[in-house]
Amino acid sequence: MSALTDTDLVTNIQNGQTEAEAALYEKYAAKVYYLALRESRLPHDAEDVRAETFLRVLQAIRGNNLRTPAALASFILGTTRNILHELFQRRKQTGKTKEPEAADLSTPSHEEQFLDSEVQHAIERTIVRLKPRERDLLRMHFYEELPTQEIARRAGIAPERVRLVKSRALKHFREFYWRLARATAPKRIDTQRR
């Protein structure tokens, strides 16, 4: 099922094949998660954005609201960006955060600069803990956006192993990141106890 084109996936989902829905998620879940993590900088927000993205994408496909199956990847990433925008808008209305574009218009506070650099530093420390092959594969997939065949060629592995290595690398990344986040989280002081 993973070898199906986007057009095949859309057709199969519209025909009620749940395996195609799982294959769609498997194909795009990591990319959506990392786009959401890069923008929101919070793993739980990235998880929420990913879940909402696939809910909306599947509704659009089932309702024949996708203009062309060939544009599926663009539609998924566009939906992710829209959901991120909605998230930031809701927070802006409640006074919890600024719109990302607005934040770039003014000089960020020292606290914001510190938090941004801390998040970036945590991600860098997490990436360093990955095996070199995992690091390289994630870079080729998410930053260079290379096709599977090219990643396999550069990594010196069979194309069918790329997905397995990528999956393991993402799992290790999440584990390292969560451990690091828990270890560096500030301790809460209970001011209610006397």
Side-chain angles (χ1 to χ4, degrees):
M1 190 62 82
S2 61
L4 293 177
T5 66
D6 286 350
T7 303
D8 292 333
L9 286 172
V10 169
T11 302
N12 291 349
I13 289 169
Q14 288 171 339
N15 289 333
Q17 294 183 18
T18 55
E19 307 87 36
E21 293 178 6
L24 174 74
Y25 183 85
E26 191 173 301
K27 184 173 183 179
Y28 288 105
K31 193 167 272 201
V32 168
Y33 178 81
Y34 277 93
L35 170 61
L37 182 62
R38 190 181 71 207
E39 296 299 321
S40 71
R41 301 188 181 232
L42 295 169
H44 65 272
D45 280 347
E47 293 284 354
D48 291 346
V49 168
R50 177 168 61 182
E52 182 66 21
T53 296
F54 282 97
L55 178 67
R56 292 188 193 182
V57 167
L58 287 171
Q59 286 173 340
I61 293 172
R62 290 179 195 137
N64 292 319
N65 295 323
L66 187 64
R67 268 186 235 157
T68 169
L72 180 62
S74 299
F75 179 72
I76 291 171
L77 296 178
T79 301
T80 305
R81 288 187 187 95
N82 288 341
I83 293 167
L84 282 163
H85 179 72
E86 291 167 13
L87 173 71
F88 290 124
Q89 281 297 107
R90 278 195 307 273
R91 289 191 176 159
K92 186 177 178 183
Q93 289 168 357
T94 60
K96 289 184 179 173
T97 190
K98 292 185 226 172
E99 187 77 29
E101 295 82 13
D104 292 338
L105 298 177
S106 61
T107 306
S109 70
H110 293 297
E111 183 179 319
E112 287 170 332
Q113 286 178 335
F114 174 76
L115 289 174
D116 283 351
S117 67
E118 281 298 298
V119 170
Q120 185 63 37
H121 187 58
I123 290 172
E124 287 168 5
R125 286 188 303 186
T126 302
I127 289 171
V128 166
R129 293 179 183 194
L130 295 174
K131 295 175 183 172
R133 182 167 81 165
E134 292 176 336
R135 236 185 350 251
D136 292 343
L137 196 133
L138 290 179
R139 178 183 43 76
M140 287 187 279
H141 180 74
F142 290 108
Y143 293 101
E144 297 180 35
E145 297 186 346
L146 296 174
T148 300
Q149 296 291 338
E150 180 60 17
I151 293 172
R153 187 187 69 74
R154 289 190 186 186
I157 59 175
E160 54 274 8
R161 293 221 5 107
V162 169
R163 189 171 51 112
L164 177 64
V165 175
K166 183 181 74 176
S167 176
R168 285 184 184 154
L170 289 171
K171 182 176 182 245
H172 291 152
F173 180 90
R174 281 191 291 270
E175 288 169 358
F176 289 140
Y177 189 86
W178 276 111
R179 265 189 250 145
L180 192 59
R182 279 198 304 271
T184 58
K187 303 285 185 246
R188 297 185 70 185
I189 299 171
D190 186 357
T191 57
Q192 302 299 318
R193 291 173 61 185
R194 296 183 183 220

